[in-house]
């Protein structure tokens, strides 16, 4: 680039790019007047509505500086002062009239609405939701709601699929999710007596398309199978139970777990498997008795729990006889006395004292099939 008229030659020391502020310009021109920085700041702060007090302060300081230093910017400072004053006035009026409160509430409602509109991928444990579309869809838009409101689903937990280098297929994921979500659901709702008959385990799993972009999450839930929506949370775990309730349920649930493992083939078809199952139930009943004995119960529950322990001990003897049956006939002879043990009523009373569900749901009611 060629040099400009004042970058070389006799006028270089005095040109606009010459050394020294306030040096005279070419041909003896007076020094250039600068614009006051606070005046500029005052105008900018006045325009930015969230900074009106600063704009007012900057403008009031700038005016005497401009006069004293022979600077420009009076109009900027005055404009900043006016705009800032108007903004301050509007803020005062907004606070007095409550308009800002309405604005804040409206903004918060918008945020809440956005937070409720989620996908099944973003659901979290303990959230209740309604489905926008078919419940069985692989991916659905859902609306998160308070569990006290009617809802179609409640998230019990979730897990990441591991050990796969490529898409494993729906069947493989189904096998894993059925078992894992069942366990997660049991841990989430320890009080099986409070579990409605029409509610069942469900899960959302990655699709082939979402797998390609890194989705490996399975989300487990309880959902309603037709009829009226759920109302209220089904959660009964360490986050909702006191120490006594938690100990009682974890102790007694061993029996339900063992009973649920009864073989599909009856004793006439597979005596060995049925005797082994009866042995597991015996161990569970005996372990439950020991677990209740080892805990320090509140005074109000001591009598009911002691009665339950005695009946569990009696029931354990019946299950031991069943487990040691000599043949099919002996097995059926001991089957009903073991299955129809008398501790169910005592358990209901102890549950009521501990403020747990005291009426068995269809899922937890003891039953036997002695038609043989």
């Amino acid at each position: 680039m060629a040099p400009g008229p004042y970058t070389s030659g006799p006028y270089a020391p005095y040109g606009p790019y010459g050394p020294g502020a306030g040096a005279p310009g070419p041909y003896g021109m007076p020094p250039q007047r600068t614009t006051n920085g606070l005046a500029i700041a005052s105008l900018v702060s006045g325009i930015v509505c969230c900074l009106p007090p600063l704009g007012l302060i900057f403008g009031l300081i700038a005016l005497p500086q401009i006069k004293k230093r022979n600077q420009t910017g009076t109009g900027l400072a005055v404009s900043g002062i006016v705009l800032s004053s108007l903004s301050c006035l509007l803020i005062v009026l907004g606070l007095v009239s409550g308009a800002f409160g309405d604005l804040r509430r409206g903004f918060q409602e918008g945020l809440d609405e956005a937070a409720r509109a989620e996908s099944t991928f973003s659901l979290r444990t303990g959230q209740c939701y309604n489905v926008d579309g078919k419940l069985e869809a692989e991916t659905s838009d859902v609306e998160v709601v308070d569990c006290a409101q009617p809802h179609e689903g409640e998230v019990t937990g979730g897990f990441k699929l591991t050990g796969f280098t490529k898409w494993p297929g729906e069947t493989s994921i189904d096998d894993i999710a059925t078992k894992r979500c069942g366990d997660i659901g049991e841990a989430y709702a320890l009080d099986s007596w409070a579990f409605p008959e029409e509610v069942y385990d469900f899960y959302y799993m990655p699709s082939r398309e979402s797998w390609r972009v890194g989705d490996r999450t399975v989300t487990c839930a309880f959902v309603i199978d037709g009829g009226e929506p759920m109302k209220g949370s089904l959660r009964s775990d360490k986050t909702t139970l006191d120490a006594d309730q938690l100990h009682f349920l974890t102790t007694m649930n061993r029996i339900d777990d063992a009973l649920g493992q009864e073989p599909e083939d009856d004793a006439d078809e597979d005596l060995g498997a049925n005797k082994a199952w009866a042995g597991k139930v015996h161990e569970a009943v005996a372990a439950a008795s020991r677990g209740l004995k080892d805990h320090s119960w509140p005074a109000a529950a001591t009598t009911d729990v002691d009665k339950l322990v005695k009946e569990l001990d009696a029931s354990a003897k019946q299950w031991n006889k069943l487990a040691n049956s000599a043949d099919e006939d002996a097995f059926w002879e001991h089957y009903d006395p073991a299955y129809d043990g008398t501790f169910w009523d005592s358990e209901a009373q102890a549950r009521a004292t501990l403020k747990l569900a005291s009426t068995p749901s269809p899922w937890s009611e003891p039953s036997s099939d002695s038609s043989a």
Side-chain angles (χ1 to χ4, degrees):
M1 176 182 290
Y6 304 119
T7 58
S8 63
Y11 302 111
Y14 306 105
Y17 304 108
Y27 306 109
M29 292 176 61
Q32 292 184 342
R33 298 175 68 193
T34 59
T35 302
N36 186 275
L38 288 178
I40 298 174
S42 175
L43 179 62
V44 173
S45 301
I47 295 173
V48 180
C49 61
C50 60
L51 302 173
L54 288 178
L56 184 60
I57 294 171
F58 289 156
L60 292 174
I61 296 174
L63 287 176
Q65 285 186 356
I66 291 169
K67 184 176 181 180
K68 181 178 180 180
R69 299 176 183 177
N70 192 28
Q71 293 177 308
T72 63
T74 302
L76 298 178
V78 172
S79 297
I81 292 171
V82 173
L83 290 174
S84 298
S85 299
L86 290 174
S87 297
C88 290
L89 180 60
L90 290 175
I91 289 176
V92 172
L93 291 175
L95 292 173
V96 173
S97 65
F100 284 144
D102 293 339
L103 180 62
R104 181 188 61 78
R105 285 190 293 272
F107 181 70
Q108 186 61 50
E109 289 173 1
L111 290 177
D112 293 343
E113 183 67 26
R116 288 193 295 268
E118 301 188 30
S119 75
T120 52
F121 297 122
S122 60
L123 288 170
R124 298 291 180 265
T125 301
Q127 287 184 325
C128 294
Y129 64 94
N130 289 313
V131 176
D132 181 13
K134 292 183 178 180
L135 182 68
E136 294 80 7
E138 289 182 354
T139 58
S140 303
D141 290 333
V142 297
E143 180 189 12
V144 176
V145 298
D146 190 297
C147 289
Q149 300 178 16
H151 55 274
E152 298 170 284
E154 180 173 354
V155 182
T156 58
F159 62 93
K160 296 279 189 180
L161 293 165
T162 59
F164 298 103
T165 58
K166 62 180 181 179
W167 167 247
E170 292 184 0
T171 301
S172 296
I173 298 178
D174 276 332
D175 293 341
I176 298 171
T178 298
K179 176 64 170 61
R180 291 284 300 275
C181 285
D183 294 341
I184 289 172
E186 289 180 6
Y188 184 87
L190 290 171
D191 193 353
S192 60
W193 286 31
F195 203 81
E197 181 179 10
E198 64 275 10
V199 173
Y200 63 97
D201 287 321
F202 191 75
Y203 53 85
Y204 297 97
M205 64 181 186
S207 64
R208 182 187 296 271
E209 292 74 19
S210 68
W211 184 276
R212 291 172 183 165
V213 294
D215 177 30
R216 301 292 185 272
T217 301
V218 174
T219 301
C220 309
F222 292 146
V223 296
I224 193 76
D225 184 16
E228 295 296 320
M230 293 183 278
K231 196 170 184 180
S233 175
L234 294 174
R235 190 168 196 170
S236 55
D237 59 12
K238 62 183 181 181
T239 67
T240 62
L241 302 168
D242 63 35
D244 298 315
Q245 293 171 325
L246 185 62
H247 184 82
F248 184 89
L249 291 175
T250 53
T251 300
M252 294 300 296
N253 283 355
R254 302 174 187 173
I255 302 174
D256 291 336
D257 292 341
L259 288 172
Q261 299 175 36
E262 184 173 5
E264 292 184 8
D265 295 333
D266 62 28
D268 294 333
E269 299 172 315
D270 193 342
L271 178 62
N274 279 269
K275 290 175 61 176
W277 162 71
K280 291 180 180 179
V281 178
H282 164 258
E283 292 174 1
V285 174
S289 174
R290 293 192 299 271
L292 295 180
K293 290 176 184 176
D294 292 341
H295 186 74
S296 178
W297 298 98
T302 300
T303 299
D304 293 326
V305 173
D306 287 346
K307 181 180 179 181
L308 174 57
V309 166
K310 292 179 181 178
E311 295 186 354
L312 285 171
D313 290 340
S315 178
K317 294 178 180 178
Q318 294 295 334
W319 283 101
N320 190 45
K321 291 179 181 179
L322 188 64
N324 291 285
S325 299
D327 52 34
E328 291 88 343
D329 291 338
F331 185 90
W332 290 119
E333 178 183 350
H334 297 304
Y335 184 84
D336 280 348
Y339 226 126
D340 299 335
T342 58
F343 71 82
W344 303 105
D345 289 340
S346 295
E347 180 178 358
Q349 182 57 49
R351 281 172 161 271
T353 303
L354 293 170
K355 294 181 173 56
L356 295 167
S358 57
T359 302
S361 72
W363 296 110
S364 57
E365 286 180 335
S367 62
S368 62
D369 181 6
S370 57
S371 57

